[in-house]
mmCIF file of all heavy atoms in Angstrom:
data_model
loop_
_atom_site.group_PDB
_atom_site.id
_atom_site.type_symbol
_atom_site.label_atom_id
_atom_site.label_comp_id
_atom_site.label_asym_id
_atom_site.label_seq_id
_atom_site.Cartn_x
_atom_site.Cartn_y
_atom_site.Cartn_z
ATOM 1 N N HIS A 1216 -7.697 -4.774 10.830
ATOM 2 C CA HIS A 1216 -6.246 -4.904 11.005
ATOM 3 C C HIS A 1216 -5.900 -5.764 12.205
ATOM 4 O O HIS A 1216 -4.930 -6.567 12.169
ATOM 5 C CB HIS A 1216 -5.583 -3.431 11.019
ATOM 6 C CG HIS A 1216 -4.084 -3.511 11.110
ATOM 7 N ND1 HIS A 1216 -3.334 -3.896 10.036
ATOM 8 C CD2 HIS A 1216 -3.249 -3.180 12.104
ATOM 9 C CE1 HIS A 1216 -2.008 -3.781 10.329
ATOM 10 N NE2 HIS A 1216 -2.017 -3.380 11.618
ATOM 11 N N LEU A 1221 -6.600 -7.513 7.791
ATOM 12 C CA LEU A 1221 -6.086 -6.458 6.928
ATOM 13 C C LEU A 1221 -4.679 -6.257 7.082
ATOM 14 O O LEU A 1221 -4.149 -5.321 7.955
ATOM 15 C CB LEU A 1221 -6.810 -5.054 7.157
ATOM 16 C CG LEU A 1221 -6.209 -3.804 6.393
ATOM 17 C CD1 LEU A 1221 -6.266 -4.004 4.967
ATOM 18 C CD2 LEU A 1221 -7.346 -2.707 6.727
ATOM 19 N N PRO A 1222 -3.776 -7.224 6.735
ATOM 20 C CA PRO A 1222 -2.407 -7.086 6.959
ATOM 21 C C PRO A 1222 -1.738 -6.157 5.920
ATOM 22 O O PRO A 1222 -2.220 -5.974 4.806
ATOM 23 C CB PRO A 1222 -1.851 -8.493 6.750
ATOM 24 C CG PRO A 1222 -2.846 -9.185 5.779
ATOM 25 C CD PRO A 1222 -4.198 -8.493 6.208
ATOM 26 N N VAL A 1223 -0.702 -5.487 6.341
ATOM 27 C CA VAL A 1223 0.090 -4.558 5.503
ATOM 28 C C VAL A 1223 1.580 -4.986 5.605
ATOM 29 O O VAL A 1223 1.987 -5.194 6.735
ATOM 30 C CB VAL A 1223 -0.119 -3.039 5.926
ATOM 31 C CG1 VAL A 1223 0.677 -2.165 5.260
ATOM 32 C CG2 VAL A 1223 -1.653 -2.701 5.974
ATOM 33 N N TRP A 1224 2.196 -4.907 4.496
ATOM 34 C CA TRP A 1224 3.563 -5.369 4.545
ATOM 35 C C TRP A 1224 4.428 -4.624 3.472
ATOM 36 O O TRP A 1224 3.777 -4.022 2.527
ATOM 37 C CB TRP A 1224 3.741 -6.944 4.418
ATOM 38 C CG TRP A 1224 3.349 -7.346 3.116
ATOM 39 C CD1 TRP A 1224 4.167 -7.672 2.007
ATOM 40 C CD2 TRP A 1224 1.977 -7.865 2.732
ATOM 41 N NE1 TRP A 1224 3.353 -8.291 0.955
ATOM 42 C CE2 TRP A 1224 2.022 -8.318 1.439
ATOM 43 C CE3 TRP A 1224 0.778 -7.846 3.424
ATOM 44 C CZ2 TRP A 1224 0.964 -8.797 0.631
ATOM 45 C CZ3 TRP A 1224 -0.405 -8.342 2.756
ATOM 46 C CH2 TRP A 1224 -0.364 -8.796 1.456
ATOM 47 N N GLU A 1225 5.601 -4.574 3.562
ATOM 48 C CA GLU A 1225 6.549 -3.827 2.644
ATOM 49 C C GLU A 1225 7.130 -4.864 1.747
ATOM 50 O O GLU A 1225 7.712 -5.805 2.213
ATOM 51 C CB GLU A 1225 7.558 -3.070 3.441
ATOM 52 C CG GLU A 1225 8.582 -2.246 2.560
ATOM 53 C CD GLU A 1225 7.924 -1.032 2.137
ATOM 54 O OE1 GLU A 1225 6.895 -0.581 2.556
ATOM 55 O OE2 GLU A 1225 8.479 -0.383 1.211
ATOM 56 N N ASP A 1226 7.130 -4.594 0.448
ATOM 57 C CA ASP A 1226 7.776 -5.369 -0.622
ATOM 58 C C ASP A 1226 8.830 -4.450 -1.144
ATOM 59 O O ASP A 1226 8.684 -3.327 -1.486
ATOM 60 C CB ASP A 1226 6.770 -5.771 -1.721
ATOM 61 C CG ASP A 1226 7.400 -6.604 -2.727
ATOM 62 O OD1 ASP A 1226 8.109 -6.030 -3.763
ATOM 63 O OD2 ASP A 1226 7.320 -7.853 -2.682
ATOM 64 N N PRO A 1227 10.123 -5.099 -1.194
ATOM 65 C CA PRO A 1227 11.217 -4.266 -1.789
ATOM 66 C C PRO A 1227 11.068 -3.636 -3.157
ATOM 67 O O PRO A 1227 11.540 -2.619 -3.454
ATOM 68 C CB PRO A 1227 12.448 -5.190 -1.691
ATOM 69 C CG PRO A 1227 11.890 -6.552 -1.350
ATOM 70 C CD PRO A 1227 10.483 -6.422 -0.896
ATOM 71 N N ASP A 1228 10.282 -4.351 -3.923
ATOM 72 C CA ASP A 1228 10.091 -3.850 -5.301
ATOM 73 C C ASP A 1228 8.841 -3.090 -5.527
ATOM 74 O O ASP A 1228 8.752 -2.179 -6.272
ATOM 75 C CB ASP A 1228 10.046 -5.011 -6.347
ATOM 76 C CG ASP A 1228 11.386 -5.800 -6.296
ATOM 77 O OD1 ASP A 1228 12.456 -5.189 -6.225
ATOM 78 O OD2 ASP A 1228 11.313 -7.082 -6.381
ATOM 79 N N LEU A 1229 7.850 -3.340 -4.745
ATOM 80 C CA LEU A 1229 6.542 -2.825 -4.945
ATOM 81 C C LEU A 1229 6.025 -1.734 -4.059
ATOM 82 O O LEU A 1229 5.208 -1.005 -4.193
ATOM 83 C CB LEU A 1229 5.415 -3.846 -5.046
ATOM 84 C CG LEU A 1229 5.616 -4.981 -6.132
ATOM 85 C CD1 LEU A 1229 4.504 -6.015 -5.974
ATOM 86 C CD2 LEU A 1229 5.460 -4.308 -7.528
ATOM 87 N N GLY A 1230 6.744 -1.772 -2.795
ATOM 88 C CA GLY A 1230 6.409 -0.812 -1.758
ATOM 89 C C GLY A 1230 5.366 -1.431 -0.799
ATOM 90 O O GLY A 1230 5.426 -2.591 -0.586
ATOM 91 N N GLY A 1231 4.507 -0.562 -0.286
ATOM 92 C CA GLY A 1231 3.515 -1.044 0.759
ATOM 93 C C GLY A 1231 2.396 -1.872 -0.016
ATOM 94 O O GLY A 1231 1.857 -1.353 -0.974
ATOM 95 N N LEU A 1232 2.158 -3.053 0.585
ATOM 96 C CA LEU A 1232 1.076 -3.928 0.072
ATOM 97 C C LEU A 1232 0.036 -4.267 1.131
ATOM 98 O O LEU A 1232 0.420 -4.228 2.270
ATOM 99 C CB LEU A 1232 1.632 -5.190 -0.543
ATOM 100 C CG LEU A 1232 2.688 -5.200 -1.629
ATOM 101 C CD1 LEU A 1232 3.235 -6.513 -1.956
ATOM 102 C CD2 LEU A 1232 2.098 -4.546 -2.883
ATOM 103 N N PHE A 1233 -1.252 -4.477 0.742
ATOM 104 C CA PHE A 1233 -2.198 -4.883 1.713
ATOM 105 C C PHE A 1233 -3.193 -5.878 1.036
ATOM 106 O O PHE A 1233 -3.384 -5.890 -0.083
ATOM 107 C CB PHE A 1233 -2.903 -3.643 2.323
ATOM 108 C CG PHE A 1233 -3.876 -2.971 1.470
ATOM 109 C CD1 PHE A 1233 -5.247 -3.320 1.376
ATOM 110 C CD2 PHE A 1233 -3.496 -1.953 0.574
ATOM 111 C CE1 PHE A 1233 -6.186 -2.793 0.492
ATOM 112 C CE2 PHE A 1233 -4.347 -1.283 -0.286
ATOM 113 C CZ PHE A 1233 -5.690 -1.670 -0.323
ATOM 114 N N ARG A 1234 -3.815 -6.637 1.954
ATOM 115 C CA ARG A 1234 -4.833 -7.502 1.544
ATOM 116 C C ARG A 1234 -5.958 -7.351 2.600
ATOM 117 O O ARG A 1234 -5.770 -7.530 3.865
ATOM 118 C CB ARG A 1234 -4.410 -9.022 1.556
ATOM 119 C CG ARG A 1234 -5.425 -10.069 1.228
ATOM 120 C CD ARG A 1234 -4.970 -11.450 1.511
ATOM 121 N NE ARG A 1234 -5.181 -11.720 2.976
ATOM 122 C CZ ARG A 1234 -4.198 -12.063 3.735
ATOM 123 N NH1 ARG A 1234 -2.931 -12.220 3.355
ATOM 124 N NH2 ARG A 1234 -4.376 -12.172 5.038
ATOM 125 N N TRP A 1235 -7.215 -7.140 2.300
ATOM 126 C CA TRP A 1235 -8.280 -6.880 3.134
ATOM 127 C C TRP A 1235 -9.395 -7.908 2.894
ATOM 128 O O TRP A 1235 -10.098 -7.908 1.949
ATOM 129 C CB TRP A 1235 -8.775 -5.483 3.011
ATOM 130 C CG TRP A 1235 -9.872 -4.997 3.857
ATOM 131 C CD1 TRP A 1235 -10.419 -5.674 5.007
ATOM 132 C CD2 TRP A 1235 -10.607 -3.736 3.679
ATOM 133 N NE1 TRP A 1235 -11.316 -4.926 5.540
ATOM 134 C CE2 TRP A 1235 -11.521 -3.738 4.862
ATOM 135 C CE3 TRP A 1235 -10.562 -2.663 2.942
ATOM 136 C CZ2 TRP A 1235 -12.527 -2.704 5.102
ATOM 137 C CZ3 TRP A 1235 -11.417 -1.658 3.119
ATOM 138 C CH2 TRP A 1235 -12.363 -1.662 4.226
ATOM 139 N N LEU A 1253 -5.545 2.000 10.419
ATOM 140 C CA LEU A 1253 -5.196 0.621 10.777
ATOM 141 C C LEU A 1253 -5.046 0.546 12.289
ATOM 142 O O LEU A 1253 -5.446 -0.433 12.847
ATOM 143 C CB LEU A 1253 -3.736 0.381 10.238
ATOM 144 C CG LEU A 1253 -3.656 0.376 8.647
ATOM 145 C CD1 LEU A 1253 -2.306 0.245 8.316
ATOM 146 C CD2 LEU A 1253 -4.490 -0.613 7.987
ATOM 147 N N LEU A 1265 -3.151 4.025 6.288
ATOM 148 C CA LEU A 1265 -2.731 3.515 4.950
ATOM 149 C C LEU A 1265 -3.309 4.429 3.944
ATOM 150 O O LEU A 1265 -4.663 4.387 3.869
ATOM 151 C CB LEU A 1265 -2.964 2.131 4.788
ATOM 152 C CG LEU A 1265 -2.496 1.604 3.457
ATOM 153 C CD1 LEU A 1265 -0.899 1.506 3.451
ATOM 154 C CD2 LEU A 1265 -2.988 0.187 3.252
ATOM 155 N N THR A 1268 -3.065 3.693 -2.669
ATOM 156 C CA THR A 1268 -2.622 4.181 -3.874
ATOM 157 C C THR A 1268 -3.218 3.468 -5.051
ATOM 158 O O THR A 1268 -3.385 3.918 -6.229
ATOM 159 C CB THR A 1268 -1.026 4.227 -4.141
ATOM 160 O OG1 THR A 1268 -0.672 2.925 -3.756
ATOM 161 C CG2 THR A 1268 -0.474 5.184 -3.071
ATOM 162 N N ALA A 1269 -3.624 2.207 -4.834
ATOM 163 C CA ALA A 1269 -4.341 1.406 -5.822
ATOM 164 C C ALA A 1269 -5.008 0.218 -5.192
ATOM 165 O O ALA A 1269 -4.397 -0.259 -4.207
ATOM 166 C CB ALA A 1269 -3.381 0.838 -6.892
ATOM 167 N N THR A 1277 -10.066 -7.564 -0.984
ATOM 168 C CA THR A 1277 -9.498 -6.414 -1.659
ATOM 169 C C THR A 1277 -7.975 -6.462 -1.481
ATOM 170 O O THR A 1277 -7.561 -6.735 -0.409
ATOM 171 C CB THR A 1277 -10.025 -5.142 -1.208
ATOM 172 O OG1 THR A 1277 -11.476 -5.099 -1.318
ATOM 173 C CG2 THR A 1277 -9.475 -3.932 -1.879
ATOM 174 N N VAL A 1278 -7.293 -6.293 -2.602
ATOM 175 C CA VAL A 1278 -5.726 -6.241 -2.431
ATOM 176 C C VAL A 1278 -5.315 -4.933 -3.086
ATOM 177 O O VAL A 1278 -6.078 -4.385 -3.914
ATOM 178 C CB VAL A 1278 -5.163 -7.394 -3.103
ATOM 179 C CG1 VAL A 1278 -5.428 -8.664 -2.576
ATOM 180 C CG2 VAL A 1278 -5.481 -7.438 -4.593
ATOM 181 N N GLY A 1279 -4.253 -4.426 -2.632
ATOM 182 C CA GLY A 1279 -3.792 -3.206 -3.165
ATOM 183 C C GLY A 1279 -2.396 -2.630 -2.591
ATOM 184 O O GLY A 1279 -1.706 -3.446 -1.968
ATOM 185 N N THR A 1280 -2.103 -1.491 -3.028
ATOM 186 C CA THR A 1280 -0.843 -0.810 -2.680
ATOM 187 C C THR A 1280 -1.163 0.450 -1.768
ATOM 188 O O THR A 1280 -2.225 1.032 -1.954
ATOM 189 C CB THR A 1280 0.090 -0.526 -3.836
ATOM 190 O OG1 THR A 1280 -0.653 0.434 -4.681
ATOM 191 C CG2 THR A 1280 0.443 -1.725 -4.544
ATOM 192 N N GLY A 1281 -0.168 0.911 -1.074
ATOM 193 C CA GLY A 1281 -0.455 2.049 -0.340
ATOM 194 C C GLY A 1281 0.800 2.576 0.442
ATOM 195 O O GLY A 1281 1.942 2.013 0.302
ATOM 196 N N GLN A 1282 0.683 3.745 0.997
ATOM 197 C CA GLN A 1282 1.785 4.296 1.856
ATOM 198 C C GLN A 1282 1.257 4.607 3.234
ATOM 199 O O GLN A 1282 0.103 4.980 3.406
ATOM 200 C CB GLN A 1282 2.149 5.739 1.239
ATOM 201 C CG GLN A 1282 2.754 5.613 -0.129
ATOM 202 C CD GLN A 1282 3.075 6.971 -0.666
ATOM 203 O OE1 GLN A 1282 2.532 7.941 -0.369
ATOM 204 N NE2 GLN A 1282 4.032 7.014 -1.565
ATOM 205 N N VAL A 1283 2.066 4.109 4.149
ATOM 206 C CA VAL A 1283 1.707 4.245 5.580
ATOM 207 C C VAL A 1283 2.082 5.594 6.136
ATOM 208 O O VAL A 1283 3.236 6.220 5.825
ATOM 209 C CB VAL A 1283 2.449 3.174 6.451
ATOM 210 C CG1 VAL A 1283 2.133 3.271 7.902
ATOM 211 C CG2 VAL A 1283 1.951 1.789 5.969
ATOM 212 N N PRO A 1304 6.429 1.099 6.506
ATOM 213 C CA PRO A 1304 5.527 0.385 7.476
ATOM 214 C C PRO A 1304 6.396 -0.604 8.169
ATOM 215 O O PRO A 1304 7.204 -1.277 7.709
ATOM 216 C CB PRO A 1304 4.405 -0.194 6.542
ATOM 217 C CG PRO A 1304 5.048 -0.367 5.194
ATOM 218 C CD PRO A 1304 6.104 0.718 5.149
ATOM 219 N N ALA A 1305 5.938 -0.923 9.487
ATOM 220 C CA ALA A 1305 6.438 -2.006 10.233
ATOM 221 C C ALA A 1305 5.875 -3.231 9.821
ATOM 222 O O ALA A 1305 4.625 -3.325 9.510
ATOM 223 C CB ALA A 1305 6.282 -1.636 11.741
#
Side-chain angles (χ1 to χ4, degrees):
H1216 184 68
L1221 176 53
V1223 176
W1224 64 95
E1225 184 73 17
D1226 180 276
D1228 297 322
L1229 301 172
L1232 301 174
F1233 72 93
R1234 181 193 74 240
W1235 184 6
L1253 303 174
L1265 180 71
T1268 54
T1277 301
V1278 296
T1280 59
Q1282 295 180 329
V1283 175

